[in-house]
């Protein structure tokens, strides 16, 4: 279920006051401040994914504080992952200031006061993880998790962002148990970036390998229709050796080549039922999906779906 809220339905004069209340209800208890007058626009989209709360926020720039009084009035029971989607923003905590650009990630504890702002517009995604789920994995010397920026150029940022993106894929139909395992992996990735407890270093290493496999699989999906796609090319684009690439697939239920074939078959299956592709013959469908030989395409398709591509297409309604 998705909750949508926008200032569009609020009279212009009351928009910022309503925005303040909406932030306190759907984000954290905050103290937004705005010096300029005039129209203000803000939108919040919030959904729940098992133990994860995901909130997208876009709004005009202004100053936001989470003061000690806000924390005292409404302490948070989560940690959060802040992903800058567009533009930039700054954060300040304990006299330390950092600038975040599109693609950067910030991991933080909402129970530590901070301020943030931008001279443009805010556009970010906030993932909240229950404290009891993440805290046991962290090595917190002072008992606190200070704000941590992970730049988009760092491997950890790409792995965390890629894992988060996979959780939001429209075709992802994870069971509650699978989603729970995915959240465990996310927590381990965050702990690896923020500092994992010594006894949990091995689980965090496994989580990084799982996230790296996810990244490799997405790269394969992007280029599967290219007939000359080879594992060497994917390994190089992901900064891996060929041996490491094949070892990653040992974490899953298939090899690199099996996954590539599955991906191509899924694409071909989709094209065969696409009305806009009816002018293409079944052989052309196979070539479009990345198969270099018609016989291989037909054989693999029948192995997976039990019928040939032509038989499958013939059984589809004309208006599908």
């Amino acid at each position: 279920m998705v909750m949508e809220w926008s200032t569009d339905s609020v009279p212009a004069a009351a928009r910022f006051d309503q925005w303040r209340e909406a932030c306190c209800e759907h984000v954290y208890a905050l103290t937004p401040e705005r010096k300029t007058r005039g129209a203000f626009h803000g939108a919040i989209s919030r959904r729940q994914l098992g133990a994860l709360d995901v909130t997208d926020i876009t709004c005009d720039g202004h100053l936001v504080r989470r003061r000690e009084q806000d924390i005292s009035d409404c302490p948070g029971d989560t940690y959060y992952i802040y992903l800058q989607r567009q533009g930039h923003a700054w954060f300040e905590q304990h006299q330390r200031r950092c600038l975040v650009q599109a693609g950067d990630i910030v991991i933080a504890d909402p129970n530590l006061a901070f301020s943030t702002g931008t001279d443009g517009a805010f556009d970010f995604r906030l993932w909240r993880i229950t404290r009891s789920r993440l805290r046991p994995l962290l090595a917190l010397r002072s008992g606190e998790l200070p704000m941590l920026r992970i730049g988009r150029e760092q491997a950890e940022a790409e792995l965390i962002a890629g894992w988060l993106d996979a959780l939001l894929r429209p075709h992802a139909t994870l069971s509650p148990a699978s989603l729970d395992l995915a959240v465990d992996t996310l927590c381990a990735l965050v702990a690896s970036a923020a500092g994992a407890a010594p006894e949990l270093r091995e689980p965090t290493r496994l989580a990084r390998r799982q996230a790296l496999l996810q990244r490799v699989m997405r790269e394969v999906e992007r280029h599967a229709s290219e007939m000359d796609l080879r594992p060497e090319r994917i390994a190089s684009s992901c900064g891996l050796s060929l041996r490491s690439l094949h070892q990653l697939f040992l974490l899953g239920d298939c090899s690199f080549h099996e996954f590539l074939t599955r991906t191509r078959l899924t694409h071909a299956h989709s094209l065969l039922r696409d009305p806009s592709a009816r002018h293409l013959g079944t052989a052309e469908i196979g070539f479009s999906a990345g198969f270099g030989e018609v016989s291989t395409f037909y054989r693999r398709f029948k192995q997976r779906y039990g019928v040939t591509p032509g038989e499958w297409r013939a059984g589809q309604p004309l208006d599908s």
Side-chain angles (χ1 to χ4, degrees):
M1 182 176 179
V2 179
M3 184 287 303
E4 303 278 358
W5 186 90
S6 169
T7 56
D8 290 349
S9 59
V10 179
R15 285 183 179 180
F16 194 70
D17 289 337
Q18 290 291 309
W19 176 254
R20 184 183 294 109
E21 293 181 15
C23 287
C24 291
E25 179 180 356
H26 299 294
V27 188
Y28 291 109
L30 299 167
T31 304
E33 301 173 7
R34 190 171 186 240
K35 294 180 180 178
T36 59
R37 295 185 177 183
F40 177 84
H41 174 75
I44 299 174
S45 174
R46 184 178 178 185
R47 74 198 88 175
Q48 196 74 31
L49 290 177
L52 292 174
D53 180 284
V54 190
T55 305
D56 290 339
I57 295 179
T58 57
C59 65
D60 296 335
H62 59 288
L63 176 65
V64 181
R65 302 181 192 275
R66 181 149 164 87
R67 307 165 304 156
E68 295 292 351
Q69 185 62 53
D70 297 322
I71 297 169
S72 177
D73 291 343
C74 190
D77 61 356
T78 63
Y79 293 110
Y80 66 84
I81 305 169
Y82 173 107
L83 173 63
Q84 187 77 21
R85 297 193 300 178
Q86 299 290 335
H88 66 272
W90 56 263
F91 285 88
E92 190 171 286
Q93 185 179 73
H94 298 326
Q95 298 182 331
R96 291 178 57 247
R97 189 181 179 99
C98 69
L99 180 69
V100 292
Q101 305 280 359
D104 290 352
I105 287 174
V106 173
I107 298 171
D109 181 348
N111 291 341
L112 296 180
F114 69 88
S115 59
T116 180
T118 176
D119 54 8
F122 278 116
D123 187 344
F124 62 91
R125 174 167 290 157
L126 202 67
W127 296 78
R128 283 177 282 202
I129 306 174
T130 305
R131 296 176 79 86
S132 59
R133 194 75 176 263
L134 180 58
R135 187 179 178 85
L137 305 182
L138 299 172
L140 301 178
R141 295 179 182 178
S142 64
E144 297 182 341
L145 176 63
M147 190 170 282
L148 173 67
R149 172 189 170 273
I150 306 174
R152 61 196 180 283
E153 72 283 355
Q154 296 175 245
E156 288 82 357
E158 189 170 5
L159 291 178
I160 293 172
W163 193 261
L164 293 174
D165 181 63
L167 288 174
L168 288 179
R169 283 171 166 260
H171 64 263
T173 54
L174 294 176
S175 66
S178 296
L179 182 57
D180 203 53
L181 288 173
V183 173
D184 280 343
T185 299
L186 174 61
C187 289
L189 287 171
V190 172
S192 177
E199 67 274 15
L200 296 170
R201 299 283 164 77
E202 186 56 36
T204 59
R205 278 194 288 269
L206 177 60
R208 292 189 84 259
R209 292 185 67 208
Q210 290 172 325
L212 190 52
L213 174 61
Q214 184 74 230
R215 177 189 169 198
V216 167
M217 293 169 78
R218 299 292 78 80
E219 190 71 8
V220 171
E221 289 177 341
R222 279 193 288 270
H223 299 284
S225 61
E226 301 168 21
M227 292 185 191
D228 62 347
L229 185 64
R230 296 289 182 270
E232 292 85 355
R233 177 178 159 195
I234 296 297
S236 177
S237 67
C238 294
L240 298 168
S241 68
L242 184 59
R243 180 170 180 270
S244 295
L245 176 78
H246 288 304
Q247 285 180 331
L248 281 177
F249 277 90
L250 294 176
L251 296 173
D253 63 350
C254 64
S255 67
F256 171 88
H257 292 290
E258 288 169 338
F259 180 75
L260 176 58
T261 298
R262 284 186 194 179
T263 303
R264 286 171 170 169
L265 286 172
T266 299
H267 183 46
H269 190 268
S270 177
L271 286 174
L272 285 167
R273 65 181 181 184
D274 185 352
S276 67
R278 288 192 180 277
H279 65 287
L280 297 176
T282 53
E284 293 174 288
I285 293 287
F287 293 141
S288 296
F291 288 95
E293 297 181 2
V294 175
S295 60
T296 300
F297 170 50
Y298 277 46
R299 184 176 70 255
R300 294 293 193 184
F301 192 95
K302 189 168 185 178
Q303 285 175 346
R304 179 164 184 182
Y305 298 107
V307 293
T308 67
E311 291 170 338
W312 193 92
R313 174 182 260 179
Q316 301 305 300
L318 293 177
D319 59 349
S320 65

